[in-house]
């Protein structure tokens, strides 16, 4: 198995254990859809690049004050409206945890359609449940039905859909997220306090979540992320 950065494949003592591992598993499972020349739209540090066997991997991102791009692997910046590529320049597109930060999503979907070849695939992940982040550029949370409508209006057809997370793992993730955000910077200053804090508020809740998730009936009406593979069927160029 190809490895990725441990921050995106965290241990059970990590505050983002459920969301990061759920996304990792989902992207790895669906990576085979993406071939040829790939654009990672909103690439950041390209955390999932190792999962893709492609001819060329190009990272595109947008400069904004809510998300500094230090130590990231961006090849091309775009202006928030127009992608600086010719029509049908890419065989596939990855777009992970980006749509919630795009205010003009219908417009951007048309741009993604324009630069993708007909029958090319786009792999999308975006949160259904998460706190405000990268403020002020945090605009939306989408249901699967909203995403289906937006994609179909932009010339795409969904070929694969799944959810990352369920009621139990999402609830557990929200508990650890609360503690990591509420006391950010305080508990990290003293080594012993840091590990006591991690044990009590990350490890213990995560272990309980894992156990309950195995013992109790599954319910995914509350979940962390949408994971979609869509195919370009209509050209909007």
């Amino acid at each position: 198995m190809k490895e990725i950065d441990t921050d995106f494949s965290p241990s059970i003592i990590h505050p983002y254990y459920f969301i990061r591992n759920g996304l990792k598993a989902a992207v790895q499972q669906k990576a085979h859809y993406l071939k040829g020349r790939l654009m990672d739209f909103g690439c950041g540090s390209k955390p999932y690049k190792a999962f893709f066997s492609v001819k060329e991997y190009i990272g595109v991102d947008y400069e904004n004050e809510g998300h500094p791009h230090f130590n990231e692997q961006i090849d091309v910046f775009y202006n928030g409206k127009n992608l600086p590529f010719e029509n049908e320049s890419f065989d596939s597109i990855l777009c992970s945890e980006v749509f919630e930060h795009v205010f003009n999503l219908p417009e951007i979907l048309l741009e993604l359609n324009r630069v993708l070849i007909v029958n090319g695939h786009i792999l999308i992940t975006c949160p259904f449940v998460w706190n405000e982040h990268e403020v002020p550029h945090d605009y939306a949370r989408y249901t699967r039905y909203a995403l289906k409508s937006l994609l179909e209006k932009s010339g795409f057809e969904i070929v694969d859909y799944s959810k990352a997370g369920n009621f139990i793992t999402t609830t557990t993730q929200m508990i650890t997220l609360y503690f990591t955000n509420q006391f950010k910077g305080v508990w990290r200053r003293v080594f012993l306090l840091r590990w006591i804090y991690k044990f009590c508020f990350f490890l213990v809740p995560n272990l309980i979540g894992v156990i309950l998730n195995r013992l109790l009936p599954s319910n995914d009406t509350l979940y962390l992320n949408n994971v979609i593979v869509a195919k370009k069927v209509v050209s909007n160029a």
Side-chain angles (χ1 to χ4, degrees):
M1 182 181 79
K2 294 181 179 179
E3 295 297 330
I4 65 173
D5 189 283
T6 54
D7 200 38
F8 289 86
S9 180
S11 71
I12 200 166
I13 203 167
H14 197 284
Y16 299 158
Y17 173 75
F18 286 107
I19 191 168
R20 292 270 173 94
N21 281 299
L23 284 170
K24 170 195 168 186
V27 172
Q28 186 176 22
Q29 182 184 40
K30 302 183 195 307
H32 66 277
Y33 282 102
L34 305 191
K35 307 291 184 182
R37 190 175 191 232
L38 183 153
M39 175 173 65
D40 186 341
F41 179 73
C43 64
S45 62
K46 300 180 181 174
Y48 304 114
K49 182 178 180 180
F51 290 156
F52 298 95
S53 299
V54 293
K55 181 180 179 182
E56 189 176 6
Y57 194 108
I58 297 174
V60 177
D61 218 314
Y62 172 63
E63 189 97 48
N64 71 69
E65 64 270 26
H67 183 129
H69 294 286
F70 305 118
N71 300 318
E72 294 190 340
Q73 302 175 40
I74 299 161
D75 302 303
V76 177
F77 282 100
Y78 86 113
N79 63 9
K81 292 184 177 181
N82 307 113
L83 291 167
F85 303 105
E86 298 294 326
N87 295 349
E88 301 191 3
S89 297
F90 294 93
D91 302 292
S92 54
I93 298 172
L94 170 66
C95 185
S96 183
E97 307 301 278
V98 175
F99 281 4
E100 73 272 25
H101 302 296
V102 180
F103 188 75
N104 56 333
L105 184 56
E107 182 180 357
I108 294 303
L109 282 171
L110 292 176
E111 272 292 277
L112 293 173
N113 175 288
R114 180 184 66 80
V115 302
L116 184 65
I117 65 168
V118 175
N119 294 321
H121 289 94
I122 178 170
L123 170 54
I124 301 159
T125 79
C126 66
F128 177 64
V129 173
W130 200 244
N131 68 322
E132 288 184 348
H133 58 291
E134 297 186 21
V135 295
H137 299 282
D138 189 3
Y139 303 117
R141 300 292 181 270
Y142 295 99
T143 66
R144 63 186 297 182
Y145 308 105
L147 290 167
K148 181 176 185 292
S149 176
L150 287 165
L151 286 164
E152 288 178 350
K153 289 176 182 177
S154 303
F156 295 96
E157 175 185 279
I158 293 178
V159 298
D160 195 332
Y161 173 81
S162 61
K163 297 175 179 179
N166 58 37
F167 223 109
I168 292 172
T169 59
T170 300
T171 302
T172 306
Q173 180 61 82
M174 291 303 100
I175 292 170
T176 60
L177 180 63
Y178 169 81
F179 283 108
T180 193
N181 286 342
Q182 193 67 20
F183 302 102
K184 186 177 292 185
V186 176
W187 53 272
R188 298 177 182 176
R189 295 171 189 163
V190 180
F191 178 82
L192 181 59
L193 179 62
R194 181 166 69 246
W195 281 100
I196 292 173
Y197 193 89
K198 286 184 175 183
F199 177 85
C200 293
F201 298 117
F202 301 157
L203 177 61
V204 171
N206 284 340
L207 280 172
I208 292 172
V210 168
I211 293 168
L212 291 178
N213 193 45
R214 292 179 180 177
L215 293 178
L216 297 179
S218 181
N219 181 331
D220 66 356
T221 56
L222 186 72
Y223 59 98
L224 288 164
N225 304 89
N226 296 281
V227 185
I228 293 173
V229 178
K231 179 172 67 173
K232 175 179 171 178
V233 293
V234 176
S235 177
N236 290 305

